[in-house]
Amino acid sequence: STSSSTAAIPNNNVKKSISDTKLMNDGHEIPVLGLGVALTGEATYEAVKYAISIGYRLIDTASEESYGNEDQVGAAVNGTNTTTFVTTKLWDTDHGFYQTLEAFEESYQALGGQRVMDMYMI
């Protein structure tokens, strides 16, 4: 016997490109694919610049305590005229109201301010 209600089965054959986006609840779009950056120093800067040059529009990093590269990500993104969605994350030991506010401000400044940080994950 078959059920009258069937769940939607995702089409795994759908190809995604780095230019595909999803609409978020607030009306903004977020790229579906991005570059996760866990490198440090000049390698971070060069990797992000290259990724943006070939079409990546989402760059994912984490707090200075974690990856230590937010400043390089910010410099690379700010050095382009391309709209790039940047996410960063709160470090495990920074949870708590005041610690989170302080950690957010540090990430915000390291990434270069409002032009860069789009999402802060806790």
Side-chain angles (χ1 to χ4, degrees):
S1 109
T2 59
S3 171
S4 61
S5 71
T6 57
I9 299 172
N11 181 350
N12 291 329
N13 294 324
V14 175
K15 302 279 188 233
K16 293 291 181 190
S17 80
I18 56 178
S19 62
D20 290 345
T21 61
K22 283 289 190 181
L23 185 64
M24 297 190 302
N25 290 338
D26 68 356
H28 290 90
E29 292 186 350
I30 183 172
V32 297
L33 297 173
L35 174 70
V37 184
L39 303 168
T40 58
E42 186 68 19
T44 297
Y45 180 84
E46 294 301 325
V48 172
K49 291 288 281 190
Y50 179 73
I52 291 170
S53 77
I54 62 170
Y56 279 87
R57 295 298 176 259
L58 181 133
I59 307 296
D60 177 62
T61 187
S63 70
E64 287 299 307
E65 291 86 356
S66 179
Y67 298 160
N69 63 15
E70 287 176 321
D71 58 340
Q72 293 296 310
V73 169
V77 171
N78 278 316
T80 70
N81 291 325
T82 304
T83 300
T84 306
F85 196 99
V86 177
T87 65
T88 192
K89 299 167 219 54
L90 180 69
W91 183 241
D92 295 340
T93 58
D94 289 331
H95 286 265
F97 184 78
Y98 293 107
Q99 298 96 319
T100 299
L101 291 177
E102 186 176 320
F104 171 85
E105 185 62 30
E106 288 173 10
S107 289
Y108 183 82
Q109 294 302 322
L111 285 166
Q114 186 174 6
R115 165 135 174 9
V116 176
M117 192 186 333
D118 294 291
M119 182 184 295
Y120 190 67
M121 294 184 270
I122 298 176

